[in-house]
Amino acid sequence: MASSIGAPKVTFSSSTLQHLCKKFPPPISPRYLSPNSSPCFHFRGIKSPSGGCRFFIPYRCFTVRAESENGAEPRHYDFDLFTVGAGSGGVRASRFAASYGSSVAICELPFATISSDNAGGVGGTCVLRGCVPKKLLVYASKYSHDFEESCNFGWKYEIDPVHDWRTLIANKNAELQRLTGIYKNVLKNAGVTLIEGRGKVVDPHTVDVDGKLYSARHILIAVGGRPFIPDIPGSEYAIDSDMALDLPSKPEKIAIVGGGYIALEFAGIFNGLKSEVHVFIRQKKVLRGFDEEIRDFVAEQMSVRGIEFHTEESPQAILKSPDGSLSLKTNKGTIDGFSHIMFATGRRPNTKNLGLETVGVKMADNGAIEVDEYSQTSVPSIWAVGDATDRINLTPVALMEGGAFAKTVFCNEPTKPNYRYSFCLVTYSLHTSKERKLLGNVVK
């Protein structure tokens, strides 16, 4: 008796139990089931909050028959959901789907501070090479301004404070390791199976992870995006935002190409850390698409800080001198003596070599996965959320899309991502130190 109560899962199919389960919503919406789907009933063992006795909760799931000539044999999958990519959207969708009673696996590349075809890490861009590490560098950069301003309040320093870049980067990386560990525990506690490796879709229900095949009723692609560097002569000498967050030494003189908020954030960081900073933009003003008064104010205040703006200049080539210094050639001339040249010229969906085109998933010219209003691709069993779809490429939006997907597919609640209030849901945050604090005076 005791051993039967301790069994983690009991499966029932008799009609005598069906009336008990009718009130439980199916974890997969009928809208997305094939005509060959048939219900079955399971009981999942749950411990009481006190940790004493164990009781069972019935839930309803579906077995989907294989698409074959005879149509007789049901197809059983390893998982209800297999997610490729453990960033914000993928983790949210996976743990929500698991909470609805589905079996879920997620694959992700091994951890690295700089992403590549062979490295990534649980947590994704925002946690590992975006918002979190960038803010840590912003915090480091603001101290130089505080030191300067403190002199007006009576503080005196016998020697000028000196910043140790290696200490900053080492502590930043230790924090990233801690955070990726937390994300792994979140998945584990939700009952999601984490598989380390590179995933590739080989058919509408199968993912290959480093040579091992896993089948799933549904596949979710949540691989995010990667920084984009234009293909100009000498582009191999340039760095992107990933690399800028993990340089072995602080730039002495850096050119930042781009006029968006990522470019300006890094300009503020390196300026605060006492690098010489030059920003090159194709337009007359920074922050295209933002309020005109804000655009003017931010550029003015950053210029006061000592950042030099080069407007209406497009990069044409990067040249490397024998001494290792870099020169940036633009349509207006060439500027020499840079230790680093960074491009902050946008991001592209990270969808290369995933096998999506081979299985019939429609893709945009820039590599984005085309989806409908429910995040479903042209292949009914394959879905996509986050930056890989190139809708609104921000972490809160990826979280929203992941939650909506899980509700649609596994909770019998067809849910469209709501972008109508996206500017209430997400806030473009310019981490440019003092300018950020002063913006309130501009928009009152």
Side-chain angles (χ1 to χ4, degrees), residues 341-388:
I341 295 178
M342 173 185 169
F343 277 79
T345 47
R347 299 173 64 86
R348 297 284 176 86
N350 185 29
T351 55
K352 289 184 179 180
N353 303 318
L354 289 179
L356 296 174
E357 299 93 337
T358 304
V359 299
V361 174
K362 290 184 179 179
M363 312 285 286
D365 291 340
N366 69 344
I369 302 170
E370 295 185 0
V371 294
D372 67 9
E373 56 191 356
Y374 292 95
S375 299
Q376 189 175 37
T377 73
S378 55
V379 177
S381 60
I382 300 178
W383 310 72
V385 298
D387 291 7

Short mmCIF file of all heavy atoms in Angstrom, two decimals, residues 341-388:
data_model
loop_
_atom_site.label_atom_id
_atom_site.label_comp_id
_atom_site.label_asym_id
_atom_site.label_seq_id
_atom_site.Cartn_x
_atom_site.Cartn_y
_atom_site.Cartn_z
N ILE A 341 37.28 49.84 -31.90
CA ILE A 341 36.18 50.37 -32.71
C ILE A 341 35.00 49.44 -32.51
O ILE A 341 35.07 48.25 -32.81
CB ILE A 341 36.55 50.47 -34.20
CG1 ILE A 341 37.67 51.49 -34.39
CG2 ILE A 341 35.32 50.88 -35.03
CD1 ILE A 341 38.15 51.62 -35.83
N MET A 342 33.92 49.99 -31.96
CA MET A 342 32.74 49.20 -31.62
C MET A 342 31.58 49.56 -32.54
O MET A 342 31.33 50.74 -32.81
CB MET A 342 32.34 49.46 -30.16
CG MET A 342 31.03 48.82 -29.75
SD MET A 342 30.55 49.28 -28.07
CE MET A 342 28.88 48.64 -28.03
N PHE A 343 30.85 48.54 -32.99
CA PHE A 343 29.64 48.76 -33.78
C PHE A 343 28.42 48.45 -32.92
O PHE A 343 28.32 47.36 -32.35
CB PHE A 343 29.64 47.88 -35.03
CG PHE A 343 30.41 48.46 -36.18
CD1 PHE A 343 31.78 48.37 -36.22
CD2 PHE A 343 29.76 49.13 -37.21
CE1 PHE A 343 32.51 48.91 -37.26
CE2 PHE A 343 30.47 49.68 -38.26
CZ PHE A 343 31.85 49.57 -38.30
N ALA A 344 27.52 49.41 -32.80
CA ALA A 344 26.23 49.21 -32.15
C ALA A 344 25.17 49.56 -33.18
O ALA A 344 24.44 50.54 -33.06
CB ALA A 344 26.12 50.08 -30.91
N THR A 345 25.12 48.75 -34.22
CA THR A 345 24.31 49.05 -35.40
C THR A 345 23.16 48.06 -35.57
O THR A 345 22.73 47.77 -36.68
CB THR A 345 25.19 49.03 -36.67
OG1 THR A 345 26.02 47.86 -36.66
CG2 THR A 345 26.09 50.26 -36.70
N GLY A 346 22.68 47.54 -34.46
CA GLY A 346 21.52 46.67 -34.52
C GLY A 346 21.84 45.21 -34.27
O GLY A 346 23.00 44.81 -34.14
N ARG A 347 20.78 44.40 -34.23
CA ARG A 347 20.90 42.98 -33.98
C ARG A 347 20.10 42.22 -35.03
O ARG A 347 19.18 42.76 -35.64
CB ARG A 347 20.38 42.63 -32.57
CG ARG A 347 21.17 43.32 -31.46
CD ARG A 347 20.53 43.10 -30.10
NE ARG A 347 20.53 41.69 -29.70
CZ ARG A 347 21.55 41.09 -29.10
NH1 ARG A 347 22.65 41.77 -28.81
NH2 ARG A 347 21.48 39.83 -28.75
N ARG A 348 20.46 40.97 -35.23
CA ARG A 348 19.77 40.10 -36.19
C ARG A 348 19.30 38.83 -35.48
O ARG A 348 19.97 38.36 -34.54
CB ARG A 348 20.71 39.73 -37.34
CG ARG A 348 21.16 40.93 -38.19
CD ARG A 348 20.05 41.40 -39.11
NE ARG A 348 20.42 42.61 -39.86
CZ ARG A 348 21.09 42.60 -41.01
NH1 ARG A 348 21.51 41.45 -41.53
NH2 ARG A 348 21.36 43.73 -41.63
N PRO A 349 18.18 38.25 -35.92
CA PRO A 349 17.73 36.98 -35.32
C PRO A 349 18.81 35.90 -35.44
O PRO A 349 19.45 35.77 -36.48
CB PRO A 349 16.49 36.63 -36.16
CG PRO A 349 15.98 37.95 -36.66
CD PRO A 349 17.22 38.77 -36.93
N ASN A 350 18.98 35.15 -34.37
CA ASN A 350 20.03 34.13 -34.29
C ASN A 350 19.50 32.78 -34.79
O ASN A 350 19.47 31.78 -34.05
CB ASN A 350 20.50 34.02 -32.84
CG ASN A 350 21.67 33.08 -32.67
OD1 ASN A 350 22.47 32.90 -33.59
ND2 ASN A 350 21.77 32.46 -31.50
N THR A 351 19.11 32.73 -36.05
CA THR A 351 18.39 31.56 -36.56
C THR A 351 19.18 30.75 -37.59
O THR A 351 18.62 29.82 -38.19
CB THR A 351 17.06 32.00 -37.20
OG1 THR A 351 17.32 33.00 -38.21
CG2 THR A 351 16.12 32.58 -36.15
N LYS A 352 20.44 31.05 -37.79
CA LYS A 352 21.22 30.30 -38.78
C LYS A 352 21.46 28.87 -38.31
O LYS A 352 21.67 28.61 -37.12
CB LYS A 352 22.56 30.99 -39.03
CG LYS A 352 22.45 32.29 -39.81
CD LYS A 352 23.83 32.86 -40.11
CE LYS A 352 23.74 34.14 -40.92
NZ LYS A 352 25.09 34.71 -41.21
N ASN A 353 21.44 27.96 -39.25
CA ASN A 353 21.80 26.55 -39.02
C ASN A 353 20.92 25.87 -37.98
O ASN A 353 21.36 24.97 -37.26
CB ASN A 353 23.28 26.44 -38.60
CG ASN A 353 24.22 27.03 -39.63
OD1 ASN A 353 24.05 26.84 -40.83
ND2 ASN A 353 25.21 27.77 -39.15
N LEU A 354 19.65 26.27 -37.90
CA LEU A 354 18.71 25.60 -37.01
C LEU A 354 17.85 24.57 -37.75
O LEU A 354 17.05 23.88 -37.11
CB LEU A 354 17.79 26.63 -36.33
CG LEU A 354 18.42 27.53 -35.28
CD1 LEU A 354 17.37 28.50 -34.73
CD2 LEU A 354 19.01 26.71 -34.15
N GLY A 355 17.99 24.51 -39.07
CA GLY A 355 17.21 23.54 -39.84
C GLY A 355 15.78 23.95 -40.11
O GLY A 355 14.98 23.14 -40.59
N LEU A 356 15.45 25.20 -39.81
CA LEU A 356 14.05 25.62 -39.92
C LEU A 356 13.56 25.65 -41.36
O LEU A 356 12.43 25.21 -41.65
CB LEU A 356 13.89 27.00 -39.28
CG LEU A 356 14.17 27.05 -37.77
CD1 LEU A 356 14.11 28.48 -37.26
CD2 LEU A 356 13.18 26.18 -37.02
N GLU A 357 14.37 26.18 -42.27
CA GLU A 357 13.95 26.22 -43.67
C GLU A 357 13.74 24.82 -44.23
O GLU A 357 12.82 24.58 -45.02
CB GLU A 357 14.98 26.96 -44.52
CG GLU A 357 15.21 28.42 -44.13
CD GLU A 357 16.36 28.59 -43.16
OE1 GLU A 357 16.71 27.61 -42.46
OE2 GLU A 357 16.92 29.70 -43.10
N THR A 358 14.57 23.89 -43.80
CA THR A 358 14.49 22.52 -44.31
C THR A 358 13.16 21.87 -43.97
O THR A 358 12.62 21.08 -44.77
CB THR A 358 15.64 21.66 -43.73
OG1 THR A 358 16.88 22.29 -44.04
CG2 THR A 358 15.63 20.26 -44.30
N VAL A 359 12.60 22.17 -42.79
CA VAL A 359 11.33 21.55 -42.40
C VAL A 359 10.13 22.39 -42.82
O VAL A 359 8.99 22.03 -42.51
CB VAL A 359 11.30 21.30 -40.88
CG1 VAL A 359 12.40 20.35 -40.48
CG2 VAL A 359 11.37 22.59 -40.09
N GLY A 360 10.36 23.50 -43.52
CA GLY A 360 9.26 24.27 -44.08
C GLY A 360 8.83 25.50 -43.32
O GLY A 360 7.79 26.09 -43.63
N VAL A 361 9.62 25.94 -42.32
CA VAL A 361 9.28 27.16 -41.59
C VAL A 361 9.60 28.38 -42.44
O VAL A 361 10.72 28.52 -42.93
CB VAL A 361 10.05 27.23 -40.25
CG1 VAL A 361 9.81 28.57 -39.56
CG2 VAL A 361 9.65 26.07 -39.34
N LYS A 362 8.64 29.26 -42.60
CA LYS A 362 8.85 30.46 -43.40
C LYS A 362 9.69 31.47 -42.63
O LYS A 362 9.45 31.73 -41.45
CB LYS A 362 7.51 31.09 -43.78
CG LYS A 362 6.71 30.26 -44.79
CD LYS A 362 5.44 30.98 -45.19
CE LYS A 362 4.66 30.16 -46.22
NZ LYS A 362 3.38 30.84 -46.62
N MET A 363 10.67 32.04 -43.33
CA MET A 363 11.61 32.98 -42.71
C MET A 363 11.61 34.29 -43.49
O MET A 363 11.42 34.31 -44.71
CB MET A 363 13.02 32.39 -42.73
CG MET A 363 13.12 30.96 -42.24
SD MET A 363 12.98 30.80 -40.47
CE MET A 363 14.58 31.44 -39.99
N ALA A 364 11.84 35.40 -42.80
CA ALA A 364 12.00 36.69 -43.44
C ALA A 364 13.42 36.81 -43.99
O ALA A 364 14.30 36.01 -43.68
CB ALA A 364 11.71 37.81 -42.45
N ASP A 365 13.63 37.83 -44.80
CA ASP A 365 14.95 38.01 -45.43
C ASP A 365 16.06 38.21 -44.41
O ASP A 365 17.21 37.83 -44.65
CB ASP A 365 14.91 39.20 -46.39
CG ASP A 365 14.04 38.92 -47.62
OD1 ASP A 365 13.79 37.74 -47.91
OD2 ASP A 365 13.62 39.89 -48.27
N ASN A 366 15.74 38.80 -43.27
CA ASN A 366 16.77 39.05 -42.25
C ASN A 366 16.96 37.89 -41.29
O ASN A 366 17.68 38.00 -40.30
CB ASN A 366 16.44 40.32 -41.47
CG ASN A 366 15.21 40.16 -40.58
OD1 ASN A 366 14.42 39.23 -40.75
ND2 ASN A 366 15.03 41.07 -39.64
N GLY A 367 16.30 36.76 -41.57
CA GLY A 367 16.44 35.59 -40.72
C GLY A 367 15.38 35.46 -39.65
O GLY A 367 15.38 34.47 -38.89
N ALA A 368 14.46 36.42 -39.56
CA ALA A 368 13.40 36.34 -38.56
C ALA A 368 12.42 35.23 -38.91
O ALA A 368 12.14 34.96 -40.08
CB ALA A 368 12.66 37.67 -38.46
N ILE A 369 11.88 34.58 -37.87
CA ILE A 369 10.89 33.53 -38.06
C ILE A 369 9.52 34.17 -38.18
O ILE A 369 9.10 34.95 -37.32
CB ILE A 369 10.91 32.55 -36.88
CG1 ILE A 369 12.30 31.92 -36.73
CG2 ILE A 369 9.86 31.46 -37.06
CD1 ILE A 369 12.48 31.12 -35.45
N GLU A 370 8.81 33.87 -39.25
CA GLU A 370 7.48 34.43 -39.45
C GLU A 370 6.46 33.63 -38.63
O GLU A 370 6.42 32.40 -38.71
CB GLU A 370 7.11 34.42 -40.93
CG GLU A 370 8.00 35.32 -41.78
CD GLU A 370 7.56 35.40 -43.23
OE1 GLU A 370 6.54 34.74 -43.57
OE2 GLU A 370 8.20 36.12 -44.01
N VAL A 371 5.67 34.34 -37.84
CA VAL A 371 4.68 33.70 -36.99
C VAL A 371 3.34 34.41 -37.13
O VAL A 371 3.27 35.54 -37.60
CB VAL A 371 5.11 33.72 -35.50
CG1 VAL A 371 6.34 32.87 -35.28
CG2 VAL A 371 5.37 35.15 -35.03
N ASP A 372 2.27 33.72 -36.70
CA ASP A 372 0.96 34.35 -36.70
C ASP A 372 0.74 35.07 -35.37
O ASP A 372 1.66 35.21 -34.56
CB ASP A 372 -0.15 33.33 -37.00
CG ASP A 372 -0.31 32.28 -35.89
OD1 ASP A 372 0.31 32.44 -34.80
OD2 ASP A 372 -1.05 31.31 -36.09
N GLU A 373 -0.48 35.50 -35.13
CA GLU A 373 -0.76 36.28 -33.93
C GLU A 373 -0.67 35.47 -32.65
O GLU A 373 -0.68 36.04 -31.54
CB GLU A 373 -2.14 36.92 -34.06
CG GLU A 373 -3.26 35.92 -34.31
CD GLU A 373 -4.56 36.60 -34.71
OE1 GLU A 373 -4.59 37.85 -34.69
OE2 GLU A 373 -5.53 35.88 -35.01
N TYR A 374 -0.56 34.14 -32.76
CA TYR A 374 -0.40 33.28 -31.59
C TYR A 374 1.02 32.73 -31.48
O TYR A 374 1.27 31.81 -30.70
CB TYR A 374 -1.39 32.12 -31.63
CG TYR A 374 -2.83 32.54 -31.45
CD1 TYR A 374 -3.65 32.77 -32.56
CD2 TYR A 374 -3.37 32.74 -30.18
CE1 TYR A 374 -4.97 33.17 -32.41
CE2 TYR A 374 -4.69 33.13 -30.01
CZ TYR A 374 -5.49 33.35 -31.13
OH TYR A 374 -6.79 33.74 -30.97
N SER A 375 1.94 33.26 -32.26
CA SER A 375 3.36 32.83 -32.28
C SER A 375 3.56 31.47 -32.93
O SER A 375 4.57 30.82 -32.71
CB SER A 375 3.96 32.83 -30.87
OG SER A 375 3.94 34.12 -30.31
N GLN A 376 2.62 31.05 -33.77
CA GLN A 376 2.74 29.78 -34.48
C GLN A 376 3.36 30.01 -35.85
O GLN A 376 3.01 30.96 -36.55
CB GLN A 376 1.36 29.13 -34.64
CG GLN A 376 1.39 27.70 -35.16
CD GLN A 376 0.00 27.09 -35.19
OE1 GLN A 376 -0.98 27.78 -35.49
NE2 GLN A 376 -0.10 25.81 -34.89
N THR A 377 4.30 29.16 -36.24
CA THR A 377 4.96 29.29 -37.54
C THR A 377 4.12 28.64 -38.63
O THR A 377 3.01 28.15 -38.38
CB THR A 377 6.36 28.64 -37.51
OG1 THR A 377 6.21 27.21 -37.50
CG2 THR A 377 7.15 29.09 -36.30
N SER A 378 4.67 28.59 -39.83
CA SER A 378 3.98 27.94 -40.94
C SER A 378 3.91 26.43 -40.78
O SER A 378 3.16 25.76 -41.49
CB SER A 378 4.69 28.30 -42.26
OG SER A 378 6.06 27.95 -42.19
N VAL A 379 4.70 25.88 -39.86
CA VAL A 379 4.62 24.45 -39.51
C VAL A 379 3.83 24.37 -38.20
O VAL A 379 4.30 24.88 -37.17
CB VAL A 379 6.01 23.82 -39.35
CG1 VAL A 379 5.90 22.37 -38.91
CG2 VAL A 379 6.79 23.94 -40.65
N PRO A 380 2.64 23.76 -38.18
CA PRO A 380 1.74 23.85 -37.02
C PRO A 380 2.35 23.44 -35.69
O PRO A 380 1.96 23.98 -34.64
CB PRO A 380 0.58 22.92 -37.41
CG PRO A 380 0.58 22.93 -38.90
CD PRO A 380 2.02 23.03 -39.31
N SER A 381 3.29 22.51 -35.67
CA SER A 381 3.86 22.04 -34.40
C SER A 381 5.06 22.86 -33.95
O SER A 381 5.62 22.59 -32.88
CB SER A 381 4.28 20.57 -34.54
OG SER A 381 5.26 20.44 -35.55
N ILE A 382 5.48 23.86 -34.73
CA ILE A 382 6.65 24.67 -34.40
C ILE A 382 6.22 26.11 -34.13
O ILE A 382 5.47 26.71 -34.91
CB ILE A 382 7.70 24.62 -35.52
CG1 ILE A 382 8.15 23.17 -35.74
CG2 ILE A 382 8.89 25.50 -35.19
CD1 ILE A 382 9.16 23.00 -36.86
N TRP A 383 6.71 26.66 -33.03
CA TRP A 383 6.34 27.98 -32.56
C TRP A 383 7.60 28.81 -32.33
O TRP A 383 8.70 28.25 -32.26
CB TRP A 383 5.54 27.88 -31.26
CG TRP A 383 4.40 26.91 -31.32
CD1 TRP A 383 4.49 25.54 -31.37
CD2 TRP A 383 3.01 27.21 -31.37
NE1 TRP A 383 3.24 24.98 -31.42
CE2 TRP A 383 2.30 25.98 -31.43
CE3 TRP A 383 2.28 28.40 -31.33
CZ2 TRP A 383 0.93 25.92 -31.46
CZ3 TRP A 383 0.90 28.34 -31.37
CH2 TRP A 383 0.23 27.11 -31.43
N ALA A 384 7.46 30.11 -32.18
CA ALA A 384 8.64 30.96 -31.94
C ALA A 384 8.23 32.20 -31.16
O ALA A 384 7.16 32.77 -31.40
CB ALA A 384 9.30 31.34 -33.25
N VAL A 385 9.09 32.61 -30.23
CA VAL A 385 8.86 33.83 -29.45
C VAL A 385 10.18 34.59 -29.32
O VAL A 385 11.25 34.06 -29.56
CB VAL A 385 8.30 33.52 -28.05
CG1 VAL A 385 6.96 32.84 -28.12
CG2 VAL A 385 9.29 32.69 -27.23
N GLY A 386 10.07 35.84 -28.89
CA GLY A 386 11.25 36.65 -28.60
C GLY A 386 11.90 37.25 -29.82
O GLY A 386 11.29 37.38 -30.89
N ASP A 387 13.17 37.63 -29.67
CA ASP A 387 13.89 38.35 -30.72
C ASP A 387 14.04 37.55 -32.00
O ASP A 387 14.29 38.12 -33.07
CB ASP A 387 15.28 38.75 -30.23
CG ASP A 387 15.23 39.82 -29.14
OD1 ASP A 387 14.11 40.14 -28.69
OD2 ASP A 387 16.30 40.32 -28.74
N ALA A 388 13.91 36.23 -31.94
CA ALA A 388 14.02 35.40 -33.14
C ALA A 388 12.91 35.72 -34.13
O ALA A 388 13.04 35.44 -35.33
CB ALA A 388 13.98 33.92 -32.79
#
